[in-house]
Amino acid sequence: SIVLPDSVQVVETDAFADCTTLKNVSFAETTVICYDAFDGTPWLTSLAQKVVDRVTDENDTLFEKAVAIHDWLTEECCYDLTYTYYAPEGMFLYNTGVCNAYAESYQMMLELVGIEVQFVTGTGNGGLHAWNLIKLDGDWYHVDCTWDDPVPDGGENHQYCFITDEVMARDHWWDASDYPAATGTRYFQGKDTQ
């Protein structure tokens, strides 16, 4: 356990990363937690598990769990327009983050429920961007929680939820040779395929 005094204003990048015995952390609400400050700690995993336990049920299918976790990110979190929170700590502590935080958080929670998932980097409409590929029933799908959570809040949707490479490539670019092909259509919820 660690207790950070109120005088600690910032916990720097990777400060406690991979501290595999760190289970409890206490700090002031005004403390800024930088990128991956607690990556790989049981404490951060426990924050993700609390969300998973709250939004999913053991009787849910993997697809239902993937949707429920997506919907928590898009409905309970908002895009960080201050560009302060780049990692899951921002989502789980403050309900905010940039695309990297959305994608890493989604990956963490999907892994906790047993869904195979990959973190994807590339561009969206020409700007640097991150999202996920997830595998359901043997097929891969793109999921972009960030783009399903419009700014300002409100109008959350499934336009980038369980879509194919073909549909995703309309406004996203990634090096396809680095990732499995997303060709699944069974769970398609996203944009019109026309």
Side-chain angles (χ1 to χ4, degrees):
S1 294
I2 59 167
V3 177
L4 300 173
D6 292 350
S7 60
V8 174
Q9 297 177 353
V10 176
V11 179
E12 295 293 344
T13 300
D14 296 329
F16 297 97
D18 298 320
C19 291
T20 58
T21 59
L22 183 56
K23 296 180 181 176
N24 297 299
V25 181
S26 178
F27 50 86
E29 286 184 23
T30 56
T31 302
V32 174
I33 307 299
C34 291
Y35 186 79
D36 287 340
F38 294 97
D39 185 44
T41 65
W43 176 73
L44 185 60
T45 302
S46 74
L47 296 179
Q49 187 67 57
K50 286 177 187 174
V51 173
V52 168
D53 292 346
R54 193 170 80 237
V55 302
T56 67
D57 183 89
E58 64 183 37
N59 296 320
D60 291 343
T61 65
L62 292 179
F63 167 72
E64 290 169 333
K65 290 177 182 182
V67 171
I69 294 166
H70 168 280
D71 291 352
W72 178 82
L73 284 164
T74 60
E75 294 170 10
E76 299 298 322
C77 299
C78 61
Y79 191 81
D80 177 19
L81 294 173
T82 69
Y83 302 99
T84 303
Y85 300 105
Y86 285 79
E89 291 91 336
M91 304 306 268
F92 299 133
L93 294 171
Y94 312 113
N95 296 89
T96 190
V98 299
C99 62
N100 199 82
Y102 279 86
E104 284 189 19
S105 299
Y106 196 51
Q107 181 173 357
M108 279 186 74
M109 292 187 283
L110 291 182
E111 288 173 347
L112 288 172
V113 299
I115 295 175
E116 192 172 347
V117 56
Q118 291 192 19
F119 179 85
V120 181
T121 58
T123 62
N125 280 342
L128 294 177
H129 193 50
W131 64 94
N132 300 99
L133 276 165
I134 75 168
K135 190 174 186 180
L136 294 170
D137 296 331
D139 292 318
W140 287 94
Y141 300 84
H142 289 273
V143 178
D144 188 342
C145 296
T146 309
W147 279 28
D148 282 346
D149 190 6
V151 175
D153 267 351
E156 293 82 5
N157 58 71
H158 288 178
Q159 290 297 299
Y160 291 87
C161 205
F162 312 111
I163 62 178
T164 63
D165 283 345
E166 179 184 358
V167 175
M168 194 68 160
R170 293 182 186 163
D171 45 27
H172 288 63
W173 178 89
W174 63 101
D175 186 344
S177 66
D178 290 342
Y179 304 98
T183 57
T185 57
R186 177 178 181 187
Y187 297 110
F188 179 82
Q189 295 189 6
K191 303 184 327 178
D192 183 5
T193 58
Q194 301 305 317

